[in-house]
Amino acid sequence: MRRVVAFIWIVACFCSCQPKQSAEQKDLLVKVNDRALSRADLKAALPSRLSSADSLIWAESFIKQWIKDKLVYDVALQNLTNTDKQEIDQLVDAYRHSLVRYRYQEQLVKERLSANISEEEMRRFYETNAKDFTLDQNLIKGLFLKIPVDAPNLTDVKKWYRSSAEPEIEKIEKYSVQNAAVYEYFYDKWISFGDVMATIPLKITDEENFLRTHSFIETADSNFCYLLNIKEYILKGDVAPFEYAHTQVLDMLVNQHKIQFLRDFEEELYNDAIRGGDVVFPAEQP
């Protein structure tokens, strides 16, 4: 460990003790020929949640490997033939071309194609392919509260949360602003029952049977009271409701139309370039 600390300390001192250094020079850790490794680079690469001791060990290893990598690269570059270098340049250029094209096409599909798919088309597709939208988890609509056990008027809240009527909802909302640790209103959308139960200290072995026989959960630990109103549920294995499957439906339709959309885009781009004179065939000129 002393060796590790000494290594980092020497590097840090070397970079901080040079006279009249610019900000860029102060940030420099090490140079190999014309390549430099900065403190910012090291910090960006540092894995999170390491202890101070582990961070020092990791930093030493990273710097040493960075230096080795640059040295090996320089030696390899000096010993490659011109033919090898040309082939590598061609491969790099082809990869860059492919990557730029791919990124733009994905952006184009997301912005244009997604916007061109109507809700009506999505609903027709959903209804025609309902079997493809089978749920792999139980869903619920409802309301969830997590309240400190010493919060005021807890007895009243335990009455209010059992009702989905507007007056009771308003009372809960006003109460939750000052007293609830968590307040989630989802009477208007489907969410995973398992995700909700992950925040409640209650073990349920048979979710399906529980949902068939319970509309409320009321439990507590030493710190909080947990209240859940289950207004509606849909069981695993049933067809997902359209609003829940909306994103999946859109993705499937986008993938279905993607190939033809890109072909049409390329053809339109080609024709516009020909008409505009951006594409020239010198051999055909008189």
Side-chain angles (χ1 to χ4, degrees), residues 17-248:
C17 294
Q18 300 300 315
K20 297 181 180 179
Q21 286 182 311
S22 65
E24 183 177 346
Q25 288 174 321
K26 289 181 180 179
D27 190 50
L28 182 64
L29 280 178
V30 61
K31 286 186 68 177
V32 174
N33 296 322
D34 60 343
R35 270 76 52 79
L37 178 69
S38 68
R39 294 175 186 271
D41 295 332
L42 185 65
K43 184 177 179 180
L46 180 68
S48 59
R49 298 181 180 178
L50 288 181
S51 66
S52 298
D54 289 340
S55 294
L56 291 174
I57 295 172
W58 179 91
E60 179 188 19
S61 176
F62 181 88
I63 294 170
K64 189 173 182 179
Q65 187 56 49
W66 183 90
I67 294 170
K68 287 180 177 179
D69 178 69
K70 299 302 175 284
L71 292 173
V72 171
Y73 177 84
D74 288 344
V75 170
L77 196 61
Q78 292 168 10
N79 286 276
L80 285 178
T81 65
N82 289 333
T83 301
D84 290 333
K85 293 177 182 177
Q86 289 174 0
E87 289 179 355
I88 290 173
D89 288 341
Q90 290 172 357
L91 288 171
V92 170
D93 186 60
Y95 176 73
R96 185 179 186 280
H97 177 90
S98 176
L99 184 60
V100 169
R101 177 188 171 97
Y102 172 78
R103 288 290 178 87
Y104 177 67
Q105 287 180 333
E106 289 297 301
Q107 178 183 333
L108 196 66
V109 166
K110 183 178 180 181
E111 292 177 353
R112 295 194 191 177
L113 181 54
S114 298
N116 291 337
I117 297 175
S118 67
E119 287 290 310
E120 182 181 354
E121 182 182 0
M122 291 177 63
R123 192 169 287 278
R124 282 200 308 269
F125 181 84
Y126 165 79
E127 292 171 354
T128 303
N129 302 276
K131 66 181 185 302
D132 295 329
F133 303 102
T134 303
L135 288 170
D136 60 358
Q137 58 185 332
N138 300 306
L139 304 180
I140 62 171
K141 286 185 177 181
L143 179 146
F144 173 62
L145 286 162
K146 178 180 176 182
I147 306 170
V149 291
D150 58 353
N153 304 318
L154 195 52
T155 302
D156 292 333
V157 179
K158 290 180 179 180
K159 296 177 183 177
W160 300 337
Y161 94 97
R162 289 176 172 265
S163 172
S164 57
E166 194 65 32
E168 279 68 29
I169 296 298
E170 289 181 2
K171 291 176 184 177
I172 290 174
E173 288 178 347
K174 291 178 181 178
Y175 178 88
S176 297
V177 171
Q178 292 185 336
N179 298 290
V182 176
Y183 167 55
E184 293 184 7
Y185 174 98
F186 50 96
Y187 284 128
D188 55 350
K189 64 178 179 180
W190 295 102
I191 67 172
S192 165
F193 180 57
D195 289 346
V196 177
M197 291 308 302
T199 66
I200 300 176
L202 179 66
K203 187 176 179 63
I204 297 176
T205 55
D206 188 342
E207 288 189 2
E208 180 176 336
N209 182 63
F210 183 90
L211 288 170
R212 292 183 188 277
T213 56
H214 294 77
S215 297
F216 307 100
I217 290 179
E218 186 175 317
T219 188
D221 54 25
S222 58
N223 297 310
F224 295 98
C225 176
Y226 305 83
L227 307 173
L228 175 65
N229 181 329
I230 304 170
K231 182 182 178 183
E232 298 179 58
Y233 68 86
I234 300 178
L235 298 176
K236 177 181 177 180
D238 290 342
V239 175
F242 175 72
E243 60 267 33
Y244 184 81
H246 190 277
T247 301
Q248 185 182 359

